[in-house]
């Protein structure tokens, strides 16, 4: 009997068969409790209803206000402590958002919506909010970044270089809500953060922004219904790919992408004979086959200047 019990215990495994796990993971316990005031520790505890992939959690934790110093994670089964290795500012509202990139171990089910734990190091907590929806094929886990621009030159704000002040992620339907914001003016961006670095990487991240800045105040504590569509923006410079001489008067030039017709003129092109250093003036041009990245030039020879 002892041998049988020993073998039974030594070969524990998840039961085979049965229904497929479709339940989304969620947080069942946390410390401190939401909206705690005068919190002085830099350690935060989360417990899930099931085992989750640890890396997915660590990539989906966003601290607001953002800091270049990454948090430390201490794991024990379904529980994890998030430790901020820096001093928190006094009388400041902070939030720790667990985004929808978190997946469980059994079937890689995603969290259905982001979870935000807000607390304050002082005796009051910010409670302003912004909500909306990102239109990108209902892709979950899109990063939502809010930049507070009250004391910033708004024309110099560059999401490719600056960390956002507040962040969250979209849910499975593209919905999002930024919670526990302070009063002020915000600019909102949505992006596929491929490198998980909280900034926009041109030619890698699909991105979009709300068309207007958002003002939050005691009179307007919440703004809902933002609609943002993401796209891949081509930020590379225009390049000349080739110049093909068809005869002694015609040259076909090809560019890396379509050229703005308003920027074209006879004087936009300069052609020189490398043998005798004579310049050839472009008399006229036309767009080849309706594609403005291919332009046929008609030229005449003129004396060297």
């Amino acid at each position: 009997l002892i041998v049988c019990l020993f073998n039974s215990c030594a070969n524990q495994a998840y039961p085979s068969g049965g229904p497929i796990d479709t339940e989304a993971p969620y947080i069942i316990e946390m410390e401190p409790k939401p909206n705690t005031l005068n919190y002085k520790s830099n350690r935060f505890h989360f417990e899930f209803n099931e085992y989750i992939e640890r890396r997915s959690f660590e990539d989906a934790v966003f601290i607001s206000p953002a800091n270049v110093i990454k948090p430390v994670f201490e794991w024990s089964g379904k529980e994890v402590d998030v430790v901020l290795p820096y001093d928190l500012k006094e009388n400041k509202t902070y939030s720790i958002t667990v985004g929808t990139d978190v997946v469980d171990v059994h079937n890689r089910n995603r969290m259905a919506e982001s979870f935000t734990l807000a607390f304050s190091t002082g005796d009051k907590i910010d409670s302003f909010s912004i909500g909306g929806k990102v239109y990108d094929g209902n892709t979950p886990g899109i990063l939502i970044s809010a930049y507070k621009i009250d004391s910033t030159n708004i024309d110099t704000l560059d999401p490719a270089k600056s960390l956002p002040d507040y962040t969250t992620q979209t849910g499975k339907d593209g919905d999002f809500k930024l919670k526990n914001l302070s009063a002020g003016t915000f600019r909102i961006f949505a992006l596929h953060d491929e490198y998980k670095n909280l900034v926009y990487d041109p030619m890698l991240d699909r991105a979009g922004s709300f068309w207007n800045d958002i003002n939050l105040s005691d009179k307007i504590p919440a703004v809902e219904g933002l609609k943002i569509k993401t796209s891949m923006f081509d930020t590379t410079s225009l390049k000349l790919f080739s110049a093909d001489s068809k005869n002694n008067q015609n040259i076909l030039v090809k560019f890396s992408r379509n050229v703005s017709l308003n920027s074209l003129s006879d004087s936009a092109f300069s052609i020189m004979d490398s043998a005798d250093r004579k310049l050839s003036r472009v008399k006229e041009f036309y767009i080849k086959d309706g594609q403005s990245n291919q332009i046929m030039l008609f030229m005449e020879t003129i004396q060297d200047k």
Side-chain angles (χ1 to χ4, degrees), residues 147-165:
Y147 290 84
K148 192 172 183 182
I149 58 175
D150 300 76
S151 58
T152 303
N153 184 342
I154 59 177
D155 293 328
T156 63
L157 175 61
D158 186 352
K161 298 179 180 179
S162 301
L163 290 175
D165 295 290

Side-chain angles (χ1 to χ4, degrees), residues 249 266-267 269-272 278-284 297-303 305:
Q249 287 187 319
D266 295 347
S267 60
F269 302 94
S270 178
I271 302 171
M272 176 182 288
K278 287 185 177 181
L279 292 174
S280 294
R281 182 173 62 86
V282 175
K283 296 189 295 183
E284 56 182 325
L297 307 179
F298 294 87
M299 61 187 189
E300 65 180 13
T301 302
I302 60 176
Q303 295 298 320
K305 295 182 179 179

Side-chain angles (χ1 to χ4, degrees), residues 128 130 148-150 181-186 214-217 220:
F128 301 97
I130 298 174
K148 192 172 183 182
I149 58 175
D150 300 76
L181 308 182
S182 60
T185 303
F186 293 89
I214 304 297
N215 294 295
L216 298 177
S217 64
I220 308 176

Side-chain angles (χ1 to χ4, degrees), residues 47-277:
E47 181 180 353
F48 281 84
N49 64 315
E50 58 181 321
Y51 290 98
I52 62 171
E53 290 190 358
R54 297 182 176 183
R55 179 61 183 271
S56 73
F57 175 87
E58 294 174 5
D59 287 341
V61 170
F62 306 101
I63 312 298
S64 299
N67 196 302
V68 294
I69 304 176
K70 301 296 184 182
V72 175
F73 302 95
E74 299 178 359
W75 288 90
S76 177
K78 303 175 186 178
E79 303 177 38
V80 58
D81 281 357
V82 179
V83 182
L84 304 183
Y86 52 84
D87 294 331
L88 304 183
K89 296 180 181 179
E90 295 183 358
N91 300 314
K92 187 77 173 178
T93 296
Y94 286 85
S95 62
I96 300 178
T97 297
V98 181
T100 53
D101 278 345
V102 175
V103 297
D104 62 31
V105 169
H106 295 156
N107 203 36
R108 294 190 60 80
N109 297 303
R110 302 175 68 104
M111 284 184 63
E113 58 185 19
S114 295
F115 173 85
T116 298
L117 171 62
F119 64 95
S120 175
T121 57
D123 56 7
K124 66 177 182 178
I125 193 164
D126 296 327
S127 57
F128 301 97
S129 65
I130 298 174
K133 184 180 182 70
V134 176
Y135 293 86
D136 190 84
N138 290 339
T139 302
I142 297 174
L143 182 70
I144 305 297
S145 300
Y147 290 84
K148 192 172 183 182
I149 58 175
D150 300 76
S151 58
T152 303
N153 184 342
I154 59 177
D155 293 328
T156 63
L157 175 61
D158 186 352
K161 298 179 180 179
S162 301
L163 290 175
D165 295 290
Y166 300 90
T167 52
T168 189
Q169 280 186 313
T170 58
K172 61 180 180 180
D173 296 324
D175 297 320
F176 69 87
K177 189 159 189 177
L178 290 154
K179 303 176 182 178
N180 298 102
L181 308 182
S182 60
T185 303
F186 293 89
R187 184 166 295 174
I188 310 300
F189 293 88
L191 62 98
H192 289 252
D193 189 15
E194 299 293 342
Y195 282 161
K196 307 295 182 185
N197 56 3
L198 303 183
V199 295
Y200 170 57
D201 292 294
M203 302 302 295
L204 179 67
D205 295 334
R206 290 174 60 85
S209 64
F210 188 59
W211 67 274
N212 197 15
D213 295 331
I214 304 297
N215 294 295
L216 298 177
S217 64
D218 291 334
K219 292 183 178 180
I220 308 176
V223 175
E224 300 290 337
L226 274 65
K227 297 180 180 179
I228 304 175
K229 183 175 177 58
T230 62
S231 301
M232 180 64 74
F233 296 96
D234 187 353
T235 59
T236 59
S237 59
L238 181 67
K239 294 181 180 179
L240 176 64
F241 270 171
S242 64
D244 184 14
S245 177
K246 298 301 182 182
N247 50 51
N248 61 358
Q249 287 187 319
N250 298 341
I251 295 178
L252 177 64
V253 293
K254 295 182 180 180
F255 291 90
S256 57
R257 60 175 181 267
N258 289 340
V259 178
S260 171
L261 299 183
N262 294 331
S263 68
L264 292 176
S265 66
D266 295 347
S267 60
F269 302 94
S270 178
I271 302 171
M272 176 182 288
D273 187 330
S274 60
D276 56 16
R277 308 292 293 176

